[in-house]
Amino acid sequence: MKVQLIHPPLYLNVHAMTALRPSAPLGLAYIAAAIREAGHDVTVIDAVAEAPEQVTPGKRPQLFALGLRTGEIVERIDPEADVIGITNMWSFSWPLVREIIEQIHSAWPEKTIVCGGEHFTGLPEYSMEQAPLDFIILGEGEEGAVELLDAIEKNRTQPGSVDISSIPSVVYRDANRS
């Protein structure tokens, strides 16, 4: 299965003394490695690394987004990707990440959107209510991501063959749970 992971742009206050450039998204790299080792084809859009000097004013004063703009991320989505995975560490970035999810869903409504990271782990129900995403992987995501992708892939070839509710670290929406 083809999976595209996204490290979204980061909010920063360019006037603050702590406005240092961020480090590489190591957690996402661990997820990518686990998914690749499980046999899936993985690519990454690192919005910060792909536009490290691009700073876009945010909707709040003194808050800027570092990295690719939302439309630029959506344009880079691989049309062949089956699943789009998005990380979000900080809840203060949620408005920007939610906008990215909404635009991806609008452009690619057939693609499965899976999210993970600290924000999603801390606020899974809120995140599901606020954005058109399909699954959230809670906590450390390496094992959960592989289990979920294997289940999605198997259910595409044999519908109903894997009960996703049996994967303990996954939150999903269905008729009984959202």
Side-chain angles (χ1 to χ4, degrees):
M1 180 167 357
K2 290 189 84 156
V3 179
Q4 186 145 55
L5 300 177
I6 299 172
H7 176 239
L10 301 175
Y11 274 142
L12 59 99
N13 180 342
V14 295
H15 303 292
M17 290 186 69
T18 59
L20 303 174
R21 297 292 182 199
S23 61
L26 293 178
L28 199 62
Y30 289 135
I31 301 295
I35 292 170
R36 185 171 288 124
E37 191 167 303
H40 301 285
D41 182 10
V42 183
T43 57
V44 177
I45 297 172
D46 184 342
V48 178
E50 291 187 35
E53 301 300 321
Q54 183 168 285
V55 178
T56 306
K59 294 176 182 167
R60 296 174 140 176
Q62 296 189 341
L63 198 58
F64 296 81
L66 174 67
L68 295 172
R69 293 179 186 94
T70 301
E72 294 170 323
I73 293 168
V74 174
E75 289 171 2
R76 285 175 167 77
I77 299 289
D78 180 352
E80 300 298 317
D82 301 297
V83 175
I84 308 296
I86 305 168
T87 185
N88 185 21
M89 267 182 88
W90 300 289
S91 291
F92 69 81
S93 296
W94 175 237
L96 178 59
V97 173
R98 182 179 57 224
E99 178 182 323
I100 293 166
I101 294 168
E102 289 168 349
Q103 286 195 25
I104 290 170
H105 179 72
S106 179
W108 303 99
E110 75 285 356
K111 295 194 184 300
T112 301
I113 299 175
V114 179
C115 296
E118 287 85 344
H119 167 81
F120 294 106
T121 296
L123 297 166
E125 291 84 7
Y126 175 78
S127 301
M128 290 293 251
E129 290 170 6
Q130 295 286 312
L133 56 100
D134 300 295
F135 299 98
I136 293 174
I137 298 172
L138 304 173
E140 299 297 323
E142 291 88 336
E143 290 179 19
V146 169
E147 287 181 73
L148 177 60
L149 291 172
D150 289 346
I152 291 170
E153 187 171 45
K154 190 166 186 178
N155 281 335
R156 285 186 178 172
T157 59
Q158 303 168 22
S161 61
V162 177
D163 179 11
I164 291 176
S165 68
S166 68
I167 305 170
S169 62
V170 173
V171 175
Y172 60 97
R173 49 177 101 242
D174 70 8
N176 302 315
R177 180 174 165 192
S178 60

